[in-house]
Amino acid sequence: MNLVFLGPPGAGKGTIAALAKERLGVPHISTGDLFRAAIKQETELGKQVKSILASGELVPDSVTVEMVRQRFENSDTDNGFILDGFPRTITQADALAEMRKIEYVINFQIGRDEIVKRLSGRRMAKSSGKIYHIIYNPPKVEGIDDETGEPLIQREDDKEEAILNRLEVYERQTEPLISYYREKGLLIDLDAKGKPESIIEALLKVLGQ
Ligand code: AMP
């Protein structure tokens, strides 16, 4: 199944994708995670995008599309995938349509207040990318990853100022994709409030799984 997860930052796309990939048996491709891995490994791409990610702006379309094109060369995507955080612009969506046939686009719906609450409390394990929330999904020991014991970090772009910028960028550049995909008959709205366990069940139901 070729899926796109669309929605504002903080809608829970990454959390639900991590659950859905097990249930659907397809890889989870997060362009944000790919960029963060490149930054951590200090590759050329990482150096190029580091300050862009910290500000919450978008990486140029040409760079992002090329990264996704290379990711699709891996045969693990032959039987489906979940794209999380891509496409984020109409240009990217047009490029994606040339590369793969998308079956469903899941539109994660959530209010602005809830987004800010989720993002400002979000914490991450740096090596695995596992996501926690200080209130909604806390680790067993405060500030520590359950699996590796490493300290959790707050993403630079989850700090207040960057959050507001990311929301603005989303509204300006990514929200138009909702009507783009609705017009193509691919869009499925999903209520993204509530606990991950109930959202994943609702998702599998609408996908007929
Ligand atoms: P995310 O983890 O999806 O919130 O992405 C983190 C950051 O990576 C974004 O704020 C952008 O700077 C960059 N990024 C991720 N995906 C894309 C994309 N499809 N196009 C451009 N920039 C992206």
Side-chain angles (χ1 to χ4, degrees):
M1 200 177 275
N2 296 351
L3 298 178
V4 167
F5 282 7
L6 184 66
K13 301 184 298 296
T15 303
I16 300 302
L19 298 170
K21 76 169 187 182
E22 307 294 341
R23 303 280 291 266
L24 298 171
V26 295
H28 167 203
I29 303 174
S30 155
T31 41
D33 284 350
L34 293 174
F35 286 131
R36 280 184 290 275
I39 292 170
K40 199 166 133 202
Q41 289 156 20
E42 298 181 346
T43 64
E44 273 313 307
L45 173 68
K47 287 179 203 152
Q48 199 182 341
V49 303
K50 189 172 180 182
S51 63
I52 302 178
L53 263 82
S55 71
E57 293 295 320
L58 294 187
V59 173
D61 287 332
S62 56
V63 176
T64 308
V65 167
E66 177 56 21
M67 182 178 74
V68 172
R69 199 190 56 72
Q70 283 180 20
R71 180 63 185 80
F72 278 148
E73 282 175 6
N74 191 324
S75 61
D76 68 339
T77 61
D78 289 352
N79 296 320
F81 50 81
I82 300 168
L83 278 173
D84 158 19
F86 181 92
R88 258 176 159 95
T89 64
I90 301 278
T91 305
Q92 292 179 12
D94 287 339
L96 174 62
E98 300 278 309
M99 295 189 281
R100 294 293 165 110
K101 183 169 167 45
I102 298 302
E103 293 170 81
Y104 300 105
V105 176
I106 311 299
N107 179 30
F108 283 64
Q109 295 183 305
I110 187 147
R112 200 182 165 102
D113 289 353
E114 182 65 19
I115 292 174
V116 176
K117 250 193 266 171
R118 284 190 185 184
L119 289 178
S120 54
R122 179 157 79 175
R123 299 292 181 272
M124 208 178 83
K126 206 170 178 182
S127 55
S128 66
K130 186 165 178 207
I131 302 163
Y132 296 88
H133 188 282
I134 53 176
I135 297 163
Y136 304 137
N137 179 26
K140 294 195 184 95
V141 180
E142 192 183 325
I144 301 292
D145 179 28
D146 293 344
E147 281 156 31
T148 61
E150 69 179 309
L152 299 179
I153 57 152
Q154 182 176 35
R155 278 170 48 174
E156 215 34 62
D157 59 350
D158 279 347
K159 297 183 178 160
E160 182 101 15
E161 204 184 288
I163 290 177
L164 298 179
N165 190 35
R166 284 161 72 203
L167 284 175
E168 216 178 284
V169 167
Y170 170 77
E171 282 160 14
R172 203 173 56 237
Q173 309 209 57
T174 308
E175 220 166 39
L177 289 177
I178 295 177
S179 21
Y180 173 101
Y181 281 123
R182 206 184 292 284
E183 279 158 22
K184 293 187 190 301
L186 299 179
L187 202 80
I188 298 178
D189 291 320
L190 183 73
D191 182 355
K193 288 193 303 294
K195 290 189 185 306
E197 303 81 56
S198 36
I199 299 168
I200 178 78
E201 293 312 325
L203 171 69
L204 294 172
K205 199 166 155 203
V206 292
L207 292 175
Q209 299 287 311

